[in-house]
Amino acid sequence: MHDDRSLVEARLKRVLDERIRPAVYPESVPLEVAVWHASSEPVPVEEGLAAECEPIAVGARWGAPWGTSWFRVTGTVPEAWAGRTVEAVLDLGFDENMPGFQCEGLVHRPDGTPVKGLNPRNQWVRIGAPVEGGEEVRLHVEAASNPVILDYHPFLPTQLGDRETAGSEPQYTLTRMDLAVFDESVWQLVIDLEVLGELMAELPVESARRWEILRAVEKALDAIDLQDVNGTASAARSRLAGVLSAPAVPSAHRISAVGHAHIDSAWLWPLRETVRKVARTTSNMTALLEDEPEFVFAMSQAQQWAWVKEHRPEVWARVKKAVADGRFVPAGGMWVESDTNMPGSEAMARQFVHGKRFFLDEFGIENDEAWLPDTFGFAAGLPQIIRAAGSKWLLTQKISWSQTNKFPHHTFRWEGIDGTRIFTHFPPVDTYNCSMKGSEIAHAASNFKDKGVARHSLAPTGWGDGGGGTTREMVAKAARLRDLEGSATVVWETPGEFFANAEAEYPEPPVWVGELYLELHRATLTSQAKTKQGNRRSEHLLREAELWAATAAVRTGFPYPYEELDRIWKTVLLHQFHDILPGSSIAWVHREARATYERLAAELNAIIDAAQRALAGEGSTPLVFNSAPHTRSGVAAGGAGTSVVEGETVLVPRAGGGFVLHNSLLRVEIDEHGLVVSAYDIAADRETIAPGRAAGLLQLHPDFPNMWDAWDVDEFYRNTVTDLTDADEVTAGADGSSVRIVRTFGASRVTQVLSLPPEERRLVLDTEVDWHETEKFLKLAFPLDVHAERYASETQFGHFHRPTHTNTSWEAAKFEACNHRFVHVEEPGWGVAVVNDSTYGHDVTRTVRTVGDRGTTTTVRVSLLRAPRFPDPETDQGVHRFRHALVPGAGIGDAVREGWRINLPERRLTGGDEVAPLVTIDQEAVVITALKLADDGSGDVVVRFHEAHGGRTKAVLTAGFEVAEVTVTDLLERPWTESAAPERDGNRIVVRLRPFELVTLRLRRA
């Protein structure tokens, strides 16, 4: 037979595009349209419905950036359409290639009841099936004219990302507002031909099945009268029935489709618009569930559910009913789909506490899975947090984006730093926006790396990022793919059903140990410095507020601020969303975030101050409150007393220029350029700085990645570097024990103050940058005379090691990585820590010196600032302040302690007696991360701690109050049966911990 594939395939495409798809709506009449443009922010539904509208015609421009317009559409169903299915087709000016990234609408009835959302892939509203004819139609559309930020030429700087700079130029053209007859038979034919055409394209040319489909498609096209598609569609469908009914082979890959609409809680739109995106999507999905009995939809992010409950109670009622029916499924058990690299230990735990508790309180549903399809890599401490929250599974898709190395598994067990293992699945469909295209289904089957031992994967199905969700077309395609020869099989399932089946099928999958590093989006550890600083500061202020409020509540009856702390935690957790904390959102989002963090800081400082004053009482004794988990300056952890500081720091001129700072532990030389050329550990008789090098060195790189400006830094940025060695000023500080350095470069100015506290082995670097660069990357370098093949980096509830070498492509790809409060490098018996108060990104490299002692230099560089222009063209412009400390002679315990110290400065009040800690632990390796009252209002004291040094330990926890009962709990403060009850002798509790083990105890007060 002659090969006529190309001829038939081209024919199929043209006939579908030009004849069959247009025939889905064979008859239409225009609706009358009027519009009212809200002045600024969205208005309540009742106000939009009541507003005075002006006529508007199809073809007119509408919608200033970020505006809201209320369209009123009216009309009458023609009498001649009686007995037929009629829909309103409402095209606000959509581009079908941009679902979720442009204008959207929510359709209401005249009484304000929401009907469904409108987006580029969902432009219809069912009027009747069938209609009687003569019905009056009146609909109201709340339309959001969200501008297109990520356009066909992506990453171009734009002022559209903030309402304050976006202007007022109309963004869209009203395209179609019609009543139309919907021809179900033609629509089904479209789906038949799409499914078969897409499947055919994925089958081998030599496959008999491909040719069977080709011939059937040809016969169907022959059966269509192009001048009467509607009259011949059924005949064409009959020619396809045979190939559509051929069952899949028994070994076919099995796909669990989960209805999904990944909605970024903020990204290329502000938080307020996400509230509306969620309402539109949930309206659509509840309507689709009513129409499609096999369809199942899952939605994560408890915050988004809470928004529906608060802002759209009528939609919430529909959602609750669908949840009760088991078809609208709460997923993930987190407050938002957060970043997992940068949130601190407690914040990561509280993501699950608040997320799971919301779903338990509202629906009685316990989530077993963590659901993070789009998060930019996963910290090594996460598995035990998931487990401690009572969950056991993890889903993500994002690792498939890695640029260098392909991850070797799709289903595996992920082992965290403490040994906890979580059953994990990466959908091989490689998208969280699956639309049931044949290419996606075929890719999932062929890409699946666990063939031979498993054949089950998940496909999150629906338009996402900006929302929208699953469409009726996707559901119809899935129905045809349920059991179709040549294709993987598709069935709708909940996440829980998928994971239970997948784990039963593959009980002993391979194990991956350590972080799940995304080889992409590394610059999200640095972009938008003030957002990151706001997060870090909020986390530590929350620790202080809970600690001192709990202590004051037990000791003085101080009213514990349950509601305020709950609200503030949820706000901080919301801002840890994976496009807010990473700095990859539009200017509007980060402008609001900065203001929010300032407001939260004021509230938390007020709580802390009130609690500490209640504890301090009346008196004139100077008291120092120590919020850190370690004793310092003679004041116990979690207590208040008189600080004891002995010794002094001496500042003297240095021969050749510069200064020398020294105390009894360190001698630091700062040269005439303001650079640290020596940091001598007196007790160890050891130099810290590599020979011929200088620490505290600012280095400037060009930074123009190939794409994803705010997200990415590409390795070639290192090819060009400018050392900022020229100093405008190197002077003694006003306090007489510090050195002040001023540098200017480009349009920017840096002021550094270097200080050496008395009797402490740490050099503090306070850096203020007035930053006005574009597409530059600023680093702070510490070249250390340390031979280290690996370094330790703090993560949630512990630390883990990364290599300093690049033996493999996996190691080379980690050229920018995340740490929390410290990075630590060491040789046996001696090490150095670099600690910080607000930065995350860093790199660590090693070189062997070719002259002199031929030793090894290990350079730790802290990432301070970037200046990408997309999506926020003014990213990081302005004044920033950072604090770092170099700690020579530091063991891992010193790194842990100094990391806490720099993030929790002492607070000073005058009062009466000292304040004893509410709880003490006698082992420095055990760190208390939270001390609070139980969330249920019982007055029980909850203390959460972990082993922080990486070894086994025994510790005694002593309560400063009478304890009636001790219970080991999960993160939600429920009894935890997986851990044995600790030994107890009155108020003394003995705990034995494995490396990095996390424990939560609930202490009932007598």
Side-chain angles (χ1 to χ4, degrees):
M1 180 180 291
H2 296 298
D3 186 349
D4 61 349
R5 288 177 299 110
S6 298
L7 191 67
V8 177
E9 290 166 3
R11 180 187 179 196
L12 171 62
K13 182 180 186 309
R14 185 176 186 192
V15 172
L16 260 176
D17 288 345
E18 297 185 22
R19 291 292 188 271
I20 303 178
R21 288 194 184 98
V24 169
Y25 292 112
E27 299 177 55
S28 64
V29 295
L31 289 159
E32 292 186 11
V33 189
V35 66
W36 172 72
H37 302 294
S39 59
S40 57
E41 285 297 281
V43 300
V45 172
E46 55 271 19
E47 184 177 343
L49 295 176
E52 288 291 328
C53 295
E54 298 286 339
I56 185 173
V58 167
R61 299 284 289 169
W62 71 277
W66 306 113
T68 298
S69 298
W70 280 84
F71 291 96
R72 184 186 66 214
V73 296
T74 56
T76 304
V77 176
E79 299 285 353
W81 291 0
R84 303 170 79 177
T85 298
V86 174
E87 294 180 346
V89 182
L90 308 177
D91 184 344
L92 301 175
F94 297 127
D95 179 340
E96 290 195 359
N97 295 315
M98 292 188 176
F101 291 88
Q102 53 174 256
C103 60
E104 301 173 62
L106 181 58
V107 181
H108 299 78
R109 295 188 179 93
D111 64 1
T113 304
V115 181
K116 68 188 294 288
L118 297 177
N119 63 59
R121 299 297 180 101
N122 214 322
Q123 303 178 19
W124 58 274
V125 181
R126 181 63 57 89
I127 302 300
V131 296
E132 295 181 358
E135 292 95 334
E136 294 296 323
V137 175
R138 186 184 181 95
L139 298 171
H140 299 262
V141 181
E142 181 196 23
S145 50
N146 302 331
V148 175
I149 305 294
L150 191 67
D151 214 332
Y152 285 99
H153 187 165
F155 318 123
L156 290 179
T158 175
Q159 295 296 328
L160 290 172
D162 195 332
R163 184 183 55 191
E164 294 183 356
T165 60
S168 58
E169 183 70 21
Q171 298 291 293
Y172 296 100
T173 300
L174 199 63
T175 301
R176 184 177 183 183
M177 300 296 240
D178 288 345
L179 281 180
V181 172
F182 176 74
D183 191 322
E184 172 84 17
S185 181
V186 175
W187 182 82
Q188 295 286 2
L189 176 61
V190 170
I191 304 298
D192 290 345
L193 290 171
E194 285 182 351
V195 166
L196 290 172
E198 292 164 2
L199 173 59
M200 181 169 58
E202 300 301 323
L203 294 172
V205 173
E206 63 274 13
S207 161
R209 174 64 169 163
R210 177 165 181 159
W211 288 91
E212 288 174 358
I213 295 173
L214 186 81
R215 296 278 79 90
V217 167
E218 184 178 39
K219 291 176 181 177
L221 295 176
D222 289 342
I224 294 172
D225 182 342
L226 297 183
Q227 276 67 52
D228 186 16
V229 173
N230 301 88
T232 55
S234 294
R237 292 197 71 205
S238 68
R239 307 285 180 93
L240 301 173
V243 290
L244 283 169
S245 63
V249 298
S251 61
H253 184 70
R254 297 188 304 225
I255 293 176
S256 295
V258 177
H260 187 237
H262 170 66
I263 304 177
D264 287 313
S265 291
W267 179 27
L268 304 180
W269 43 86
L271 287 167
R272 67 93 150 141
E273 193 56 34
T274 312
V275 175
R276 301 202 293 178
K277 283 177 175 287
V278 174
R280 297 175 198 122
T281 298
T282 51
S283 295
N284 266 352
M285 295 304 95
T286 51
L288 190 60
L289 287 166
E290 293 174 359
D291 294 339
E292 302 289 350
E294 294 186 355
F295 175 53
V296 174
F297 182 77
M299 190 170 89
S300 67
Q301 307 192 75
Q303 170 68 87
Q304 296 187 1
W305 293 69
W307 279 333
V308 178
K309 180 182 180 182
E310 177 184 357
H311 295 281
R312 300 308 302 254
E314 64 279 36
V315 180
W316 179 248
R318 288 159 53 178
V319 168
K320 287 190 70 173
K321 179 182 182 305
V323 172
D325 293 340
R327 298 178 59 216
F328 198 122
V329 182
M334 295 175 66
W335 190 248
V336 294
E337 290 182 11
S338 72
D339 180 81
T340 75
N341 286 312
M342 291 176 283
S345 303
E346 268 308 303
M348 201 73 254
R350 303 298 175 97
Q351 285 286 352
F352 288 90
V353 169
H354 287 283
K356 294 196 75 167
R357 188 172 287 147
F358 182 89
F359 293 141
L360 282 164
D361 290 348
E362 295 294 337
F363 309 113
I365 289 175
E366 175 94 12
N367 291 102
D368 287 327
E369 76 290 330
W371 184 274
L372 293 165
D374 192 29
T375 295
F376 309 152
F378 300 87
L382 188 58
Q384 76 162 331
I385 298 173
I386 294 172
R387 195 77 196 98
S391 298
K392 57 186 178 180
W393 301 317
L394 169 67
L395 176 134
T396 183
Q397 176 271 326
K398 201 67 172 189
I399 299 299
S400 69
W401 285 41
S402 285
Q403 287 179 315
T404 306
N405 299 284
K406 295 291 285 184
F407 198 81
H409 319 295
H410 280 108
T411 302
F412 60 100
R413 291 199 188 276
W414 178 28
E415 181 178 319
I417 56 174
D418 74 316
T420 298
R421 292 180 175 181
I422 295 293
F423 188 84
T424 303
H425 180 67
F426 293 171
V429 71
D430 281 349
T431 177
Y432 49 79
N433 294 326
C434 178
S435 61
M436 285 290 134
K437 287 173 59 177
S439 57
E440 295 169 338
I441 302 305
H443 178 73
S446 64
N447 186 42
F448 188 57
K449 290 182 170 61
D450 305 299
K451 297 182 187 74
V453 288
R455 55 188 180 96
H456 202 171
S457 72
L458 185 146
T461 302
W463 299 116
D465 289 314
T470 318
T471 66
R472 62 182 178 184
E473 288 78 13
M474 296 174 195
V475 176
K477 285 188 171 186
R480 287 156 175 81
L481 296 171
R482 186 179 187 89
D483 189 16
L484 182 62
E485 183 185 353
S487 172
T489 63
V490 176
V491 62
W492 293 105
E493 285 189 321
T494 66
E497 289 169 338
F498 162 77
F499 273 108
N501 292 334
E503 192 169 23
E505 174 189 63
Y506 201 14
E508 297 297 333
V511 175
W512 182 269
V513 179
E515 68 180 330
L516 293 169
Y517 180 92
L518 177 64
E519 296 170 356
L520 194 73
H521 292 359
R522 301 167 182 90
T524 58
L525 305 174
T526 306
S527 298
Q528 298 287 358
K530 288 185 178 177
T531 298
K532 290 168 171 57
Q533 289 179 320
N535 173 73
R536 178 76 70 85
R537 187 72 181 124
S538 296
E539 289 180 354
H540 288 85
L541 286 170
L542 277 160
R543 170 194 171 81
E544 291 187 85
E546 290 181 338
L547 166 66
W548 299 119
T551 305
V554 173
R555 294 275 165 74
T556 73
F558 178 80
Y560 192 80
Y562 291 101
E563 293 183 2
E564 293 93 329
L565 289 171
D566 179 79
R567 171 180 52 79
I568 293 170
W569 262 119
K570 288 173 179 174
T571 303
V572 172
L573 298 178
L574 167 60
H575 286 79
Q576 291 178 340
F577 178 75
H578 65 251
D579 276 306
I580 303 179
L581 180 54
S584 47
S585 287
I586 56 175
W588 189 347
V589 173
H590 293 289
R591 172 171 56 80
E592 288 190 330
R594 292 190 293 270
T596 297
Y597 285 129
E598 289 179 7
R599 186 184 74 248
L600 296 183
E603 291 186 64
L604 289 167
N605 278 313
I607 292 171
I608 294 164
D609 183 69
Q612 289 181 340
R613 290 187 182 281
L615 287 164
E618 298 296 326
S620 59
T621 303
L623 295 176
V624 172
F625 282 78
N626 177 16
S627 303
H630 307 95
T631 298
R632 61 187 184 189
S633 303
V635 180
T642 302
S643 178
V644 179
V645 179
E646 298 178 346
E648 64 175 351
T649 298
V650 177
L651 174 69
V652 298
R654 173 180 177 270
F659 297 89
V660 177
L661 283 165
H662 68 86
N663 58 25
S664 63
L665 301 175
L666 278 183
R667 182 178 186 274
V668 178
E669 292 188 36
I670 300 163
D671 72 6
E672 67 276 19
H673 302 293
L675 300 173
V676 180
V677 293
S678 174
Y680 188 74
D681 182 345
I682 296 170
D685 189 20
R686 173 79 184 252
E687 176 58 61
T688 305
I689 310 303
R693 302 289 299 277
L697 172 67
L698 292 165
Q699 295 182 302
L700 191 66
H701 296 270
D703 184 20
F704 188 62
N706 289 342
M707 58 193 305
W708 298 108
D709 295 43
W711 295 256
D712 283 359
V713 56
D714 289 330
E715 191 172 14
F716 54 73
Y717 87 91
R718 291 180 173 177
N719 296 350
T720 306
V721 61
T722 301
D723 292 345
L724 303 179
T725 56
D726 293 339
D728 301 341
E729 301 175 31
V730 180
T731 58
D735 59 1
S737 59
S738 62
V739 178
R740 180 175 180 270
I741 304 106
V742 177
R743 308 182 196 279
T744 53
F745 60 94
S748 301
R749 176 186 175 93
V750 175
T751 303
Q752 284 185 302
V753 176
L754 277 56
S755 57
L756 181 62
E759 298 305 301
E760 292 182 12
R761 208 167 54 238
R762 63 188 176 105
L763 174 67
V764 178
L765 297 89
D766 287 296
T767 305
E768 179 181 285
V769 187
D770 189 3
W771 180 247
H772 298 284
E773 303 307 301
T774 298
E775 294 166 353
K776 296 289 192 296
F777 196 5
L778 184 65
K779 291 264 188 176
L780 177 63
F782 299 89
L784 308 174
D785 191 9
V786 177
H787 177 86
E789 293 186 358
R790 65 177 191 170
Y791 71 94
S793 173
E794 190 188 28
T795 189
Q796 292 102 0
F797 298 110
H799 61 268
F800 71 106
H801 292 93
R802 296 187 184 96
T804 59
H805 57 77
T806 54
N807 282 356
T808 71
S809 59
W810 295 86
E811 294 152 355
K814 296 183 182 182
F815 60 83
E816 184 79 5
C818 183
N819 71 288
H820 286 186
R821 288 170 289 227
F822 70 80
V823 168
H824 180 255
V825 296
E826 68 175 341
E827 298 172 2
W830 194 85
V832 182
V834 176
V835 300
N836 72 84
D837 75 340
S838 60
T839 55
Y840 296 91
H842 70 276
D843 66 82
V844 180
T845 55
R846 66 198 301 269
T847 56
V848 175
R849 303 189 282 271
T850 58
V851 296
D853 64 357
R854 305 172 76 91
T856 302
T857 298
T858 302
T859 301
V860 176
R861 296 200 310 163
V862 177
S863 303
L864 295 183
L865 290 165
R866 298 181 69 240
R869 301 180 67 208
F870 181 88
D872 176 4
E874 301 296 321
T875 301
D876 280 334
Q877 301 299 299
V879 177
H880 303 269
R881 296 177 180 87
F882 307 96
R883 173 167 284 190
H884 295 84
L886 177 69
V887 190
I892 196 69
D894 300 304
V896 172
R897 183 182 61 253
E898 295 299 334
W900 280 100
R901 179 202 293 266
I902 202 170
N903 282 274
L904 286 169
E906 299 165 341
R907 292 177 183 261
R908 300 177 183 272
L909 290 176
T910 56
D913 296 332
E914 295 185 351
V915 178
L918 194 59
V919 171
T920 62
I921 287 184
D922 70 346
Q923 170 57 261
E924 190 176 78
V926 179
V927 170
I928 294 176
T929 60
L931 184 61
K932 59 191 285 292
L933 295 192
D935 291 342
D936 62 6
S938 63
D940 293 354
V941 174
V942 171
V943 54
R944 184 152 35 250
F945 52 89
H946 72 285
E947 196 289 318
H949 292 184
R952 291 185 179 273
T953 192
K954 174 186 174 182
V956 177
L957 181 149
T958 303
F961 54 91
E962 291 301 313
V963 177
E965 183 181 8
V966 178
T967 306
V968 181
T969 74
D970 65 6
L971 296 179
L972 277 72
E973 302 168 7
R974 305 173 299 188
W976 180 244
T977 58
E978 293 192 11
S979 295
E983 304 170 28
R984 178 179 163 226
D985 179 11
N987 297 338
R988 299 175 72 254
I989 302 155
V990 179
V991 292
R992 291 176 170 81
L993 302 177
R994 66 179 183 272
F996 303 124
E997 183 178 2
L998 162 65
V999 175
T1000 305
L1001 295 182
R1002 182 170 181 143
L1003 312 180
R1004 184 163 63 82
R1005 292 151 59 192

